[in-house]
Amino acid sequence: MRPARVQHLLLDAAAALPGASARTFADGGHTRHPFGITVEAAGRTSHWQIAVMSAPGEDLAGGDDPAPVLGEKPPAMEAPAALTADPATLERALVAQWLAADPGEIASADLYSTRPVPPAVGHGATIDCHDGSRVFINHVR
C-alpha cells in the first residue's frame, strides 16, 4: 500500500467521524511531512503523519498501487462514543473507522496509546497489511 492511498483512506475515515473535518497536509500548507492529514475535531487541530514500509519486493517509487491482497479481517475496534480533545480518542476513532471500511487488506492494527510503554510519538498506530506492507500513523505537532 502506498502513502498517497493511505492518506486517501484516512481522509475518508475522518470524514465519517461526527463533527470532524480533515484535509491533507499539502492542502493545509503543512510541508514538514510529505503525507498526512490534519483533523479538526472537538475544538482541537491534530496532525497525523503517514509513513509506509513497502511490501517485500515492492518499490514505492512511481507507478500505480498494486492490486490489494485480501485476507481475514482483524476484529472490529470499538470507536469512542464521542470525540474529545484527547489525541487517544481521535487515534482510536480514525483506526476504528478505517477498520470498519476495510475490505480485508488490514491484517492487524496496534494503537500506540494502548501499549504498556507507548513509543516516543505517544499516539498513532501501526497497521500491518496482508501484502506485507506496514503503515505507521504518527501524531505530530
Side-chain angles (χ1 to χ4, degrees), residues 8-109:
H8 176 76
L9 293 169
L10 280 179
L11 282 172
D12 287 349
L17 300 176
S21 65
R23 62 186 181 276
T24 66
F25 277 178
D27 289 343
H30 185 92
T31 59
R32 186 171 177 196
H33 307 288
F35 293 98
I37 65 170
T38 298
V39 179
E40 303 279 344
R44 180 185 173 129
T45 301
S46 60
H47 306 286
W48 301 86
Q49 174 195 18
I50 298 164
V52 174
M53 185 174 76
S54 62
E58 181 185 352
D59 181 6
L60 288 178
D64 294 329
D65 256 333
V69 175
L70 303 180
E72 186 175 336
K73 291 179 72 161
M77 184 178 293
E78 187 175 337
L83 296 178
T84 68
D86 178 14
T89 303
L90 189 52
E91 167 197 71
R92 177 171 287 280
L94 284 170
V95 174
Q97 184 60 40
W98 186 11
L99 284 171
D102 175 56
E105 288 183 83
I106 296 174
S108 66

Side-chain angles (χ1 to χ4, degrees), residues 123-138:
H123 297 94
T126 298
I127 308 293
D128 289 312
C129 299
H130 286 292
D131 67 358
S133 63
R134 296 186 97 188
V135 175
F136 305 94
I137 304 164
N138 302 309

